[in-house]
Amino acid sequence: MDRRAETVLCLYVLVLGLLQGCQGAAPQFGGLPTSVTRQLHSEFSKTQSLTNSASTLTLRRLTSLPTPTYQLTVQCDDNTGNTPTAVLSVDILDGDKITFTNIPATTTHAALTTLVNSAIFDVDATDLLGHTPLTYTITSIPATTSFQIDGTTGAITTARDLKFETNSAIDLYVTVSDGSIAVTEKLRVQLTDLNNVPTFTNLPATISQNEDTASGTVLYTLTSFDADAGATLSYTMTVNPPAYSGLFTFATNTLQLSLTAGQTFDYETRSSFTVSFTVTDTMATTGPIDLTVNINNINEACYFDKTYYYVTLAEATAGSVTYNPNFLVRDYDGAATYTLSFAAGNNSNRFSIDANSGIISFAVDYNIDNGAMPSSVILTVVCTDTTSKTGTSKVEVTITDVNDNAPSFAQSTYSITVDQYDAPGSLMGTISPTDADSGVNGEFSCSGSSTASSATTYYSIGADCGVYLLSSPSGNLDYGTISRFTITAVDKGSPSLTGTTYVDIIYKEATTTTTTTTAAPSTYNFWDDSGAVAAFSIAMVLGTILLAALLYYLLRCCFTGMCCGPEPCDFMECCRSYERPRRLQRRLVTPEKSKRPRRDDFDYWREDDFKDNNHDYGSLDKHEPPSRRPSPARVHGPREYKDLPNGNRLTPTDIEFQPRRLVSRPMALSYY
């Protein structure tokens, strides 16, 4: 090979890596230097051209320069009409040369067992003129980061474990330079036992979905492949724009892409998304590869601006009251025509709604009194567009009570009887009305009036609509007297309503034959029972009489004794001091002598005592006839003393054995 061809070949090799980048990719240059310097031993003046596939290299000598300089015009053509070019200036220097001494064509290594920093090859080069130092660099085709070279020694090693390498053959272009000239040589690294790269078999792809697609719907199922048996693959997903990442869910076990539960598409907001996927077996990764999701515009249902509305209506007849909840209905498709209605159920048949304005009214005479109809219902209002798409919302309707019923009596006239035994304050009867309203509107109170003044004297009508006896008519009204009252019941509604009736109170005589009426059991009150009160009164009168008699007897016993009169029946001798003085003929009784005379407490003295003891009481009248003198045996009874009042005489026995009588019957002070 002549020197000219050698020079051209070196230049070709220099730019070959750059030309390779034009194949299969958009025309673009990167890393092309503005100029290089090369050696040459003889001049050449012809312009050379090299063609590699779609790339063209043109060398042209610039003879006007003192040093031979060439310009290399590089042009890429990808057959799309774009042909970008770049220019490289080459200076040719005479008298120097760099030569590789040991680069083989190919070196082979096992990818799975070659680790990082393992030796691949040691490059050796010489400089003809002995210029030092020599500097080594490498580039790889295809581009990879698996290899590195020591710039001083030329030792090529691995920059990572080769199990991550995906190319089976890598061309390393080794360049050595002495600072003035540079030479490039190719070294092919052939890898065996290479890890197979996992791939997606159905990506990239494009799909279309309607905007009304239901949440949770599976949009796409990916398929992947790895030639390595038993390889464990893992996947990742990204969404662009990232703000919509929550719109999609990717199941790595089934490789299914779904619309996230609770999410919906909205064509009017965004019509396209890019979902990118990667797959890796931990040694090699493929991706990201895109799945484009386009959204189709579909007519959408109308919707309400609120999920709940509240309405309050007063009970009324059908159509008599109305209310406008001010429904605001929208449509994602823009302005649309729709109609309003109630969904069936929950008493919706009792209400009506205007299909255009949404005004609500009663469809029936609505009455909540006494639970006839519910006072609160929750209705479902439905909007329907021209394509029969529907949207719903809730309307809670509260119905308030109206005082529309007056108290009502079952009869126009009532009768109640009163007899002479009824006690004042008694409840004689109750005239109770009814009110069909509920709550406060159904509460009422009563009052009564009568044109007869005597009626209000004996009877009254309570607020509880009861007829009460104020005082007994006995002795004041004739039996059969009828007192008529007008009873008026007024409810507590606003405005209040009234109802009236009449009650005739008849005063009659109670006979022995009474009619027993069984009343509802109630708590017994003794004072409410007129018979019990009468019996109690009689018992009190009788008790008072007996007590007075007993008291009289006790007083008589204490002050007059047990005297029956002037006759001597006073066995206790408590009445003798109150008798008038009179001389009574005493009957002398000669007692029977006993063998041994017994002296008792009433023997005051014996005659022997007078003689033996010379007792002299001084008051004994010795001149009295023998019949009045005491017998010599025993003297019974009291002795008489002339100086005592009324001629009565006291004996010592009286003083000694009757002290109670001295206390109860004191003598005058002059006798003490």
Side-chain angles (χ1 to χ4, degrees):
M1 181 183 297
D2 59 15
R3 296 168 182 169
R4 181 180 62 186
E6 181 181 354
T7 301
V8 172
L9 179 60
C10 291
L11 295 173
Y12 175 75
V13 173
L14 177 64
V15 299
L16 183 59
L18 301 173
L19 298 176
Q20 293 292 334
C22 297
Q23 300 182 25
Q28 184 177 359
F29 289 98
L32 183 66
T34 58
S35 64
V36 297
T37 303
R38 287 295 181 265
Q39 64 177 345
L40 188 61
H41 295 287
S42 63
E43 298 180 359
F44 64 93
S45 60
K46 296 180 64 175
T47 299
Q48 303 291 331
S49 296
L50 295 176
T51 302
N52 179 31
S53 183
S55 305
T56 301
L57 174 63
T58 302
L59 283 71
R60 182 171 57 86
R61 181 177 181 181
L62 303 178
T63 57
S64 60
L65 299 177
T67 301
T69 301
Y70 294 84
Q71 287 186 339
L72 283 72
T73 302
V74 182
Q75 177 178 304
C76 283
D77 186 355
D78 62 357
N79 298 321
T80 62
N82 296 320
T83 56
T85 61
V87 177
L88 175 64
S89 296
V90 181
D91 296 331
I92 305 300
L93 302 178
D94 291 334
D96 198 2
K97 181 180 179 181
I98 298 176
T99 304
F100 288 100
T101 60
N102 65 339
I103 291 183
T106 303
T107 178
T108 304
H109 297 272
L112 294 180
T113 58
T114 303
L115 304 179
V116 63
N117 295 323
S118 297
I120 298 297
F121 192 79
D122 289 334
V123 177
D124 191 11
T126 60
D127 186 276
L128 182 61
L129 300 179
H131 294 151
T132 57
L134 297 180
T135 304
Y136 299 88
T137 60
I138 61 172
T139 59
S140 62
I141 297 178
T144 181
T145 59
S146 297
F147 303 97
Q148 59 189 359
I149 189 170
D150 188 311
T152 302
T153 64
I156 300 176
T157 58
T158 57
R160 61 176 179 170
D161 294 347
L162 293 188
K163 66 179 181 179
F164 296 110
E165 184 55 61
T166 60
N167 301 291
S168 60
I170 302 99
D171 290 333
L172 301 178
Y173 290 90
V174 183
T175 300
V176 59
S177 173
D178 63 0
S180 296
I181 61 175
V183 177
T184 300
E185 189 67 66
K186 181 179 75 171
L187 173 64
R188 170 162 287 190
V189 179
Q190 189 70 44
L191 299 180
T192 61
D193 195 19
L194 188 69
N195 173 59
N196 291 288
V197 180
T199 60
F200 291 106
T201 60
N202 61 346
L203 289 179
T206 300
I207 61 173
S208 296
Q209 294 290 327
N210 294 335
E211 65 175 336
D212 61 351
T213 300
S215 63
T217 300
V218 176
L219 306 177
Y220 196 72
T221 302
L222 279 65
T223 58
S224 61
F225 174 77
D226 193 318
D228 297 322
T232 300
L233 305 181
S234 58
Y235 306 87
T236 59
M237 177 195 75
T238 59
V239 178
N240 189 31
Y244 293 90
S245 297
L247 199 60
F248 300 94
T249 300
F250 180 61
T252 57
N253 57 337
T254 61
L255 302 186
Q256 291 181 336
L257 178 69
S258 304
L259 179 60
T260 301
Q263 298 291 327
T264 58
F265 293 123
D266 184 9
Y267 175 86
E268 287 74 22
T269 301
R270 188 165 186 88
S271 61
S272 181
F273 304 92
T274 299
V275 185
S276 301
F277 300 91
T278 61
V279 58
T280 181
D281 61 359
T282 70
M283 293 181 289
T285 300
T286 298
I289 302 179
D290 297 337
L291 172 67
T292 302
V293 182
N294 294 323
I295 308 302
N296 301 325
N297 188 23
I298 300 297
N299 180 60
E300 297 174 88
C302 53
Y303 65 95
F304 293 85
D305 66 326
K306 297 179 182 178
T307 58
Y308 238 89
Y309 293 86
Y310 299 90
V311 174
T312 300
L313 298 173
E315 61 176 357
T317 58
S320 60
V321 296
T322 60
Y323 187 87
N324 187 357
N326 295 313
F327 295 121
L328 182 56
V329 182
R330 303 179 185 274
D331 196 309
Y332 290 110
D333 299 316
T337 302
Y338 56 85
T339 57
L340 298 174
S341 61
F342 283 133
N346 196 22
N347 296 281
S348 60
N349 59 310
R350 291 173 171 166
F351 299 86
S352 62
I353 183 172
D354 187 275
N356 297 316
S357 65
I359 294 177
I360 295 176
S361 61
F362 291 121
V364 298
D365 294 344
Y366 208 98
N367 182 18
I368 66 172
D369 295 327
N370 300 311
M373 296 182 184
S375 60
S376 179
V377 296
I378 298 177
L379 306 176
T380 300
V381 59
V382 182
C383 66
T384 306
D385 63 15
T386 55
T387 62
S388 298
K389 294 270 188 175
T390 61
T392 61
S393 183
K394 298 294 184 181
V395 181
E396 183 174 344
V397 183
T398 301
I399 300 91
T400 59
D401 186 30
V402 175
N403 188 29
D404 53 355
N405 295 286
S408 175
F409 292 92
Q411 301 174 203
S412 59
T413 303
Y414 294 84
S415 295
I416 291 179
T417 60
V418 176
D419 59 43
Q420 68 272 25
Y421 297 117
D422 290 329
S426 300
L427 174 65
M428 308 311 301
T430 301
I431 312 299
S432 296
T434 58
D435 195 318
D437 288 314
S438 303
V440 176
N441 292 332
E443 299 176 4
F444 53 83
S445 62
C446 289
S447 63
S449 62
S450 177
T451 57
S453 59
S454 60
T456 57
T457 302
Y458 303 103
Y459 314 109
S460 69
I461 307 299
D464 59 350
C465 302
V467 179
Y468 291 89
L469 180 63
L470 296 179
S471 61
S472 177
S474 179
N476 299 307
L477 295 180
D478 295 332
Y479 293 126
T481 300
I482 299 176
S483 301
R484 166 162 289 198
F485 277 84
T486 300
I487 298 180
T488 302
V490 181
D491 64 23
K492 298 182 181 180
S494 179
S496 60
L497 300 178
T498 61
T500 59
T501 188
Y502 297 98
V503 58
D504 291 331
I505 305 174
I506 305 172
Y507 178 58
K508 70 174 186 178
E509 182 181 8
T511 61
T512 55
T513 303
T514 58
T515 301
T516 302
T517 301
T518 302
S522 61
T523 302
Y524 177 78
N525 189 332
F526 177 86
W527 301 108
D528 290 340
D529 189 340
S530 59
V533 173
F536 177 80
S537 301
I538 295 173
M540 290 297 294
V541 172
L542 293 177
T544 302
I545 295 174
L546 292 176
L547 182 61
L550 179 61
L551 182 61
Y552 173 78
Y553 177 77
L554 292 176
L555 291 174
R556 180 178 177 83
C557 177
C558 292
F559 290 99
T560 63
M562 302 300 294
C563 299
C564 300
E567 297 301 326
C569 62
D570 186 7
F571 62 91
M572 293 183 65
E573 300 181 357
C574 59
C575 299
R576 185 176 301 275
S577 61
Y578 295 96
E579 296 179 358
R580 289 182 299 176
R582 58 181 178 177
R583 307 291 290 184
L584 295 178
Q585 184 68 34
R586 294 183 180 271
R587 186 178 59 176
L588 298 178
V589 178
T590 302
E592 183 180 357
K593 293 184 179 180
S594 60
K595 294 180 180 182
R596 188 177 178 178
R598 177 175 175 270
R599 185 181 181 92
D600 54 36
D601 292 339
F602 293 95
D603 292 338
Y604 299 115
W605 65 85
R606 299 180 182 272
E607 189 172 349
D608 294 337
D609 293 335
F610 288 97
K611 295 178 180 180
D612 298 337
N613 297 324
N614 295 320
H615 289 292
D616 186 5
Y617 292 93
S619 59
L620 181 62
D621 188 1
K622 297 181 180 181
H623 300 285
E624 288 183 357
S627 61
R628 302 295 295 170
R629 295 181 181 176
S631 65
R634 181 179 299 176
V635 177
H636 297 277
R639 290 196 58 182
E640 295 180 354
Y641 291 86
K642 298 180 178 181
D643 54 350
L644 289 177
N646 298 324
N648 290 330
R649 305 295 182 180
L650 290 177
T651 66
T653 304
D654 292 331
I655 299 174
E656 181 179 357
F657 291 100
Q658 296 185 24
R660 183 183 62 84
R661 190 58 58 186
L662 290 177
V663 174
S664 60
R665 295 292 185 269
M667 294 182 296
L669 292 177
S670 58
Y671 295 100
Y672 281 94

